[in-house]
Amino acid sequence: MSASGSLRQLLDSLSREQRRNQELLASLGFALRSVTNLSRLLELVPVVASRLVEADGALLVVFRDDGTLWRDQLQATPADRCVELLRQLAALGDGEFRTLTGDEAVAALLDQRVARLLGGGRLFATSVVSRSRQRGRLYVFSDRSGFSWSEVHRRHVQLVADLVGVALENEALLQDMRRHERVDRQLSIGAEIQAQLLPDHCPVIDGIELAARCRPAFQVGGDYYDFIPTRPQLSGRHRERGRWALVMGDVMGKGVPAGLLMSLLRGMLRAEVLSGHPPDRILHDLNQLAQEDLAHSHRFVTLFYSDYDPRTRLLRYGNAAHNPSLLWRRSTDRIDRLDASGMLIGLESEAEYGVQQIVLEPGDVVLYYTDGVTEAAGFSGDRYDEERLLQSFRAACRAGLGAQEILDQLFERLDRFVGSERHLDDDASMVVLKVREEVVLPRLPGLPAPRPRIPRPRS
């Protein structure tokens, strides 16, 4: 054969080898894009790697995220020769890897074990890297005499190892996405349940205006407010003029557990309200009923409980370590804190609670709120604190706004302080109660002035 013919044959051979290698890498790339089962993809890796470099076989060892050996994903070819190799590797204890420091030490241990188990021959190894961490080792081996690893061989094996790293990264992202989807579904269900438990509108109560809003830091929060008729069998005007319980509470914690626990307490509280007991007795009984459930959850609850009688404008209240409600007196432009002695719900089974009462006057405004309002952080890291809330509350009341307008203004000022692009760190809830102004008719000439009506407190 002439020299030109020999050269042509060599070029043809190199061209065929190049096309074969391109097809092998293309098949692995296609599998990486289309195969959703990680195990199937990893099964192809030793086959492709060994054929790329014309080796006798190949072995893939993969680690889990926690650094332990991923025994289910040990892959090797040819299968008949590598049965004992895979069995011996799978028998390696996780403790052997945990005692090693650094990726190099882990690689050295594996390389030593694999070389001994293969019983000689030429061996080339490279690391599988994902998220800048060693996630495994890829080996190719050959027993043929005179066989050597060229630089092209090494690059091809490294390319396959890099594709394995991409596959592991994709799998990690996919699992993260699935976890987030499950959590999102649970949160959506929890948020839907909680939204149904909070009143969707304020009731009509004779002589007052009500407005309420809860803004959870997460989809599901631990804040709770409620309006409960003490005599739910009444209807129409009788119901509007009956006594109502007005409640504001907060479970220590956020998210689904806090929301579910508050849902449990809501049912207990609504049953207690039907007893007609005063606020101190209601809080005492609720504390005893919820003691076991709260102890198991390692959580506590703050609760401000009040009841209001429209006929006398008498507001009675008790407090289980919640933020005191604020009362703005129209006649004096003064803000008082409505507070009473009492411990957290769930802290001590025999806790005692105090009760206070006050008669509201036309134009007076009461604000119930949770600590998510005063603890909200601004751009500078400062808290909104009670003083800012007092200033905002007084300004809104002085302006003669209705209950809903007062509530809207309070949240607008809170949002400006926090910033429109930032979220609250904790659930924030507020309820505004405003006593309607009395209409004063002009006195006709010659008639005596009407005697003022002084409401009498009713127990």
Side-chain angles (χ1 to χ4, degrees):
M1 182 181 297
S2 65
S4 59
S6 298
L7 179 61
R8 187 178 300 108
Q9 279 188 335
L10 178 60
L11 291 175
D12 290 342
S13 176
L14 291 173
S15 178
R16 286 195 299 271
E17 181 181 357
Q18 187 176 29
R19 284 197 301 271
R20 179 179 61 84
N21 290 345
Q22 289 175 346
E23 290 173 359
L24 286 169
L25 290 173
S27 65
L28 188 60
F30 176 79
L32 181 62
R33 295 193 307 271
S34 58
V35 176
T36 57
N37 187 316
L38 181 65
S39 297
R40 284 191 170 185
L41 175 64
L42 297 184
E43 286 176 5
L44 293 175
V45 170
V47 176
V48 172
S50 61
R51 290 183 181 178
L52 269 175
V53 298
E54 297 181 339
D56 294 341
L59 166 69
L60 176 64
V61 179
V62 181
F63 294 106
R64 296 183 183 274
D65 285 333
D66 61 1
T68 59
L69 191 64
W70 200 347
R71 293 172 177 81
D72 294 341
Q73 298 299 351
L74 289 172
Q75 308 290 347
T77 188
D80 53 350
R81 177 178 176 180
C82 296
V83 171
E84 183 60 21
L85 171 65
L86 294 177
R87 191 187 69 78
Q88 292 280 356
L89 288 175
L92 289 175
D94 292 332
E96 294 187 64
F97 297 102
R98 291 198 179 101
T99 57
L100 299 175
T101 303
D103 291 344
E104 291 183 2
V106 173
L109 172 66
L110 266 179
D111 293 352
Q112 181 183 9
R113 294 294 177 89
V114 171
R116 190 176 74 240
L117 292 171
L118 286 173
R122 295 189 172 274
L123 180 68
F124 174 69
T126 190
S127 290
V128 174
V129 178
S130 173
R131 300 188 185 186
S132 302
R133 291 174 49 216
Q134 181 174 258
R135 289 293 307 276
R137 294 284 280 175
L138 176 60
Y139 299 91
V140 286
F141 52 86
S142 177
D143 294 331
R144 284 175 290 163
S145 60
F147 186 87
S148 62
W149 309 110
S150 67
E151 186 60 30
V152 173
H153 289 162
R154 295 174 186 272
R155 290 178 181 178
H156 281 159
V157 174
Q158 185 61 59
L159 179 58
V160 175
D162 291 342
L163 290 175
V164 175
V166 173
L168 294 175
E169 176 73 8
N170 289 344
E171 178 69 12
L173 293 174
L174 180 61
Q175 294 303 323
D176 285 344
M177 183 180 69
R178 287 172 177 170
R179 279 194 294 270
H180 287 309
E181 287 176 350
R182 288 195 295 268
V183 171
D184 286 343
R185 283 196 297 270
Q186 292 171 2
L187 287 174
S188 297
I189 294 171
E192 184 178 342
I193 293 172
Q194 187 185 28
Q196 293 172 354
L197 293 175
L198 290 176
D200 56 359
H201 65 277
C202 295
V204 176
I205 301 177
D206 191 47
I208 66 171
E209 300 174 21
L210 286 171
R213 186 181 305 166
C214 173
R215 183 176 295 169
F218 295 87
Q219 283 182 272
V220 185
D223 279 10
Y224 164 67
Y225 64 83
D226 210 350
F227 313 106
I228 312 167
T230 60
R231 299 178 65 188
Q233 70 274 18
L234 300 178
S235 60
R237 290 290 294 168
H238 295 290
R239 186 184 181 94
E240 294 174 13
R241 293 175 177 174
R243 180 179 290 155
W244 283 76
L246 297 94
V247 188
M248 176 69 77
D250 184 6
V251 174
M252 289 186 173
K254 297 182 280 291
V256 175
L260 294 177
L261 188 56
M262 187 53 82
S263 301
L264 175 68
L265 290 172
R266 173 187 182 272
M268 294 181 181
L269 180 60
R270 282 188 158 244
E272 276 297 309
V273 169
L274 298 179
S275 67
H277 293 315
D280 54 337
R281 177 68 181 277
I282 295 285
L283 291 175
H284 175 271
D285 293 349
L286 179 65
N287 178 60
Q288 290 194 325
L289 286 171
Q291 193 69 218
E292 185 175 352
D293 292 313
L294 290 171
H296 289 161
S297 67
H298 305 290
R299 294 174 185 266
F300 305 104
V301 177
T302 68
L303 193 71
F304 187 94
Y305 177 89
S306 64
D307 61 30
Y308 179 74
D309 190 339
R311 296 167 296 176
T312 61
R313 296 200 296 266
L314 178 69
L315 182 74
R316 302 186 302 180
Y317 55 91
N319 193 3
H322 193 76
N323 302 87
S325 294
L326 304 177
L327 167 63
W328 179 78
R329 289 289 198 181
R330 189 194 66 166
S331 59
T332 61
D333 189 28
R334 174 180 171 179
I335 294 179
D336 296 321
R337 293 174 179 82
L338 305 182
D339 202 2
S341 60
M343 301 177 66
L344 294 162
I345 301 292
L347 187 61
E348 185 179 318
S349 60
E350 296 303 323
E352 295 296 329
Y353 297 89
V355 62
Q356 300 291 336
Q357 63 183 36
I358 192 167
V359 176
L360 303 181
E361 301 296 336
D364 288 352
V365 184
V366 180
L367 173 65
Y368 303 75
Y369 68 97
T370 59
D371 61 6
V373 176
T374 51
E375 293 297 316
F379 290 106
S380 64
D382 293 338
R383 300 295 178 181
Y384 191 67
D385 67 42
E386 188 185 54
E387 186 57 37
R388 287 188 176 88
L389 179 61
L390 289 173
Q391 293 174 4
S392 300
F393 182 45
R394 177 179 280 112
C397 293
R398 282 176 174 173
L401 303 175
Q404 186 62 56
E405 288 78 13
I406 292 174
L407 181 71
D408 292 341
Q409 190 169 114
L410 291 176
F411 268 105
E412 286 172 7
R413 295 197 176 196
L414 177 64
D415 291 340
R416 284 202 301 270
F417 177 82
V418 174
S420 58
E421 301 299 322
R422 301 174 69 246
H423 294 287
L424 295 172
D425 295 327
D426 195 5
D427 313 325
S429 299
M430 288 187 271
V431 172
V432 175
L433 180 158
K434 180 174 182 179
V435 183
R436 289 195 178 97
E437 309 278 355
E438 289 185 338
V439 178
V440 180
L441 298 176
R443 183 166 56 89
L444 296 176
L447 293 180
R451 297 179 62 185
R453 174 180 174 272
I454 302 177
R456 298 180 179 179
R458 297 173 63 95
S459 58

